């Protein structure tokens, strides 16, 4: 069994404590099928969709376009559930971070980053991550499971609840953009991520266009093609190194999908042009990948691919094996990249006071039972075997 399949084995039961089934996260077809199986008309699905995803309703009683007996019947069998908010932290710079607990007790974080003309929600795709990139704190959290589609969509819905964004205002939204850059590797949980993003993109609902959604991957080459063809959202690639030797060391996935394959997959990502580029993320690690020679090699590596470069100052965490590059090194690196035609490359760190930065999410230590640990050791061994094979 692959690591991602194994993680799926931990998936949530889709019913609440009262045995009611959660409707959030069902596709339109599934919602229709659900209505038919409950003895209701198919068109109820359309009505429900509007209430759930356009109006943000969580209580059937407010769904006034449905007759009262229908509402009562729905409430007996179904729920429109939200995860529990365990913590709600606000940074001095306006960044906000929610720690959410799922019904099985697992926790994930989402982060809202407001900017002048837009707002971005950073969404998690897994609890932890089966990959173990050496600079990333998520990779040290050994408890891993995939989030299901409802748990991914729920992060967006909960942020909208908190920011008072129902129904969606046509302009000036607080959540105008989504980035799949929270915990986890979204392309190791492709099915659930795709299902969730289709719900988020649906025009009679949350309605965030694919142009405003960016999926970040460490480079799961076969799934990149599928993602491009089926979702065609913007792609961000965590590159972080320009040679296989270094990338093998800091990002174990490179041993399975080395740079040449990764670059080929980028080059052929559907819909690329000068207005629609791949973002290459590059975390600046002191003395590791931050020399002028690295910068020049980076420019060369990206030749011919419509690209943007995002230099991310490393966010240190307790026990991290690396340090952040000096400001000077980042500037010199940035200048070389700029001179080659790549604009505004350094990402400013936001929400530092609430540990909301990349790679720091859910930083509190996780205590594991012996059984959990054994299960996770197995996942990791399978992942290592998959990467070696
Ligand atoms: N798994 C996906 C998406 C989540 S990580 C991926 O790796 O792309 C989001 C981004 O944060 C990635 O570019 C990741 O490499 C970067 N990142 C991880 N740890 C970091 C750290 N400590 N400092 C800065 N960036 C980090
Ligand atoms: Fe996973 Fe991305 Fe962190 Fe690597 S950088 S361990 S792929 S979350």
């Amino acid at each position: 069994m692959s690591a991602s399949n194994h993680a799926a084995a931990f998936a949530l039961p889709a019913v609440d404590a009262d045995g009611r089934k959660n409707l959030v996260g069902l596709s339109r077809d599934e919602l229709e099928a659900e209505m038919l199986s409950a003895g209701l008309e198919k068109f109820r699905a359309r009505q429900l969709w509007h209430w759930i995803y356009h109006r943000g309703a969580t209580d059937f009683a407010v769904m006034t376009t449905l007759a009262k007996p229908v509402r009562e019947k729905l409430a007996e069998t179904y729920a429109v559930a939200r995860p529990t908010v365990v913590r709600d932290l606000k940074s001095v710079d306006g960044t906000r971070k929610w720690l959410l607990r799922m019904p099985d007790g697992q926790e994930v974080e989402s982060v809202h980053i407001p900017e002048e003309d837009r707002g971005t929600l950073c969404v998690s795709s897994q609890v932890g991550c089966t990959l173990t990139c050496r600079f990333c704190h998520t990779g040290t959290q050994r408890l891993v499971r995939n989030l299901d589609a409802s748990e991914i969509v729920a992060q967006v819905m909960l942020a909208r609840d908190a920011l008072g964004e129902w129904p969606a205002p046509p302009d000036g939204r607080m959540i105008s953009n989504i980035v799949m850059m929270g915990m986890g590797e979204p392309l190791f949980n492709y099915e659930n991520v795709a299902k969730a993003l289709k719900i988020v993109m649906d025009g009679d609902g949350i309605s965030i266009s694919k142009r405003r959604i960016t999926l970040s991957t460490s480079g799961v080459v076969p799934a990149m093609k599928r993602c491009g063809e089926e979702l065609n959202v913007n792609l961000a690639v965590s590159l972080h190194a320009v040679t296989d030797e270094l990338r093998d060391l800091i990002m174990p996935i490179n041993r399975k999908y080395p740079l040449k394959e990764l670059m080929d997959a980028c080059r052929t990502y559907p819909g690329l042009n000068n207005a629609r580029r791949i973002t290459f993320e590059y975390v600046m690690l002191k003395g590791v990948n931050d020399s002028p020679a690295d910068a020049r090699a980076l420019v060369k590596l990206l030749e011919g691919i419509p690209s943007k470069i995002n230099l991310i100052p490393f966010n240190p965490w307790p026990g991290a094996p690396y340090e952040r590059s000096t400001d000077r090194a980042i500037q010199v690196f940035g200048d070389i990249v700029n001179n080659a035609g790549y604009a505004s490359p350094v990402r400013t760190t936001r929400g530092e006071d609430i540990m909301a930065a990349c790679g720091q999410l859910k930083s509190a230590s996780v205590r594991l039972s012996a059984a959990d640990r054994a299960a996770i050791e197995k996942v990791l061994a399978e992942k290592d075997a998959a990467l070696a094979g």
Side-chain angles (χ1 to χ4, degrees), residues 230-302:
E230 291 176 8
L231 301 173
N232 204 226
V233 292
N234 301 316
L235 190 69
V237 172
S238 294
L239 191 61
H240 308 325
V242 290
T243 62
D244 280 322
E245 289 70 24
L246 180 59
R247 204 163 183 271
D248 279 352
L249 184 71
I250 65 175
M251 300 186 72
I253 195 166
N254 197 69
R255 290 177 221 153
K256 178 93 174 159
Y257 306 114
L259 279 172
K260 174 155 183 348
E261 286 177 36
L262 177 59
M263 289 301 126
D264 285 347
C266 291
R267 210 165 273 119
T268 52
Y269 192 74
L272 288 188
N273 55 47
N274 277 344
R276 193 141 193 272
R277 299 161 183 260
I278 293 182
T279 301
F280 289 92
E281 295 158 284
Y282 196 93
V283 62
M284 298 295 291
L285 305 170
K286 186 177 187 174
V288 174
N289 65 356
D290 63 351
S291 72
D294 286 301
R296 286 189 291 271
L298 174 61
V299 168
K300 191 146 193 329
L301 188 66
L302 301 187

Side-chain angles (χ1 to χ4, degrees), residues 135-136 180-182 184-186 216-218 238 240 281 283 312-315 317 358-359:
F135 49 82
C136 177
M180 297 300 304
M181 287 189 188
E185 169 48 59
S216 174
T217 180
S218 56
S238 294
H240 308 325
E281 295 158 284
V283 62
I312 315 172
F314 171 63
N315 291 302
W317 36 273
C358 290

Side-chain angles (χ1 to χ4, degrees), residues 26-34 45 49:
L26 298 185
S27 67
R28 276 183 181 271
D29 288 350
E30 286 169 343
L31 195 55
E32 282 183 359
E34 202 56 59
W49 189 275

Side-chain angles (χ1 to χ4, degrees), residues 46-103:
R46 203 170 353 107
Q47 292 177 313
L48 272 175
W49 189 275
H50 186 79
W51 282 105
I52 297 173
Y53 296 113
H54 182 72
R55 304 288 288 267
T58 52
D59 184 352
F60 294 104
V62 306
M63 302 185 181
T64 46
T65 51
L66 298 150
K68 200 154 176 245
V70 175
R71 281 184 256 156
E72 284 169 358
K73 180 160 191 180
L74 286 168
E76 271 168 28
T77 320
Y78 300 110
V80 182
R82 296 286 194 265
T84 311
V85 181
V86 182
R87 261 183 292 156
D88 179 349
L89 299 174
K90 221 175 190 171
S91 160
V92 286
D93 67 16
T95 302
R96 196 152 162 194
K97 180 170 87 169
W98 295 276
L99 178 64
L100 308 177
R101 183 173 298 148
M102 304 304 173

Side-chain angles (χ1 to χ4, degrees), residues 277 307-311 334 337-346:
R277 299 161 183 260
S307 334
K308 289 190 251 188
I309 297 172
N310 207 333
L311 298 183
V337 161
N338 261 320
N339 289 338
Y342 300 96
S344 58
V346 183

Side-chain angles (χ1 to χ4, degrees), residues 187-257:
L187 295 188
F188 271 166
N189 185 17
Y190 179 78
E191 300 291 345
N192 288 315
V193 167
K195 194 171 165 195
L197 289 182
K198 283 178 190 162
I199 293 173
V200 166
M201 290 191 263
D202 189 288
D204 181 30
I206 299 172
S207 193
I208 297 181
S209 99
K210 63 180 189 175
R211 313 258 151 206
R212 289 180 172 272
I213 298 177
T214 301
L215 182 147
S216 174
T217 180
S218 56
V220 186
V221 165
M224 284 166 65
K225 185 163 187 275
R226 214 175 145 197
C227 172
E229 283 164 3
E230 291 176 8
L231 301 173
N232 204 226
V233 292
N234 301 316
L235 190 69
V237 172
S238 294
L239 191 61
H240 308 325
V242 290
T243 62
D244 280 322
E245 289 70 24
L246 180 59
R247 204 163 183 271
D248 279 352
L249 184 71
I250 65 175
M251 300 186 72
I253 195 166
N254 197 69
R255 290 177 221 153
K256 178 93 174 159
Y257 306 114

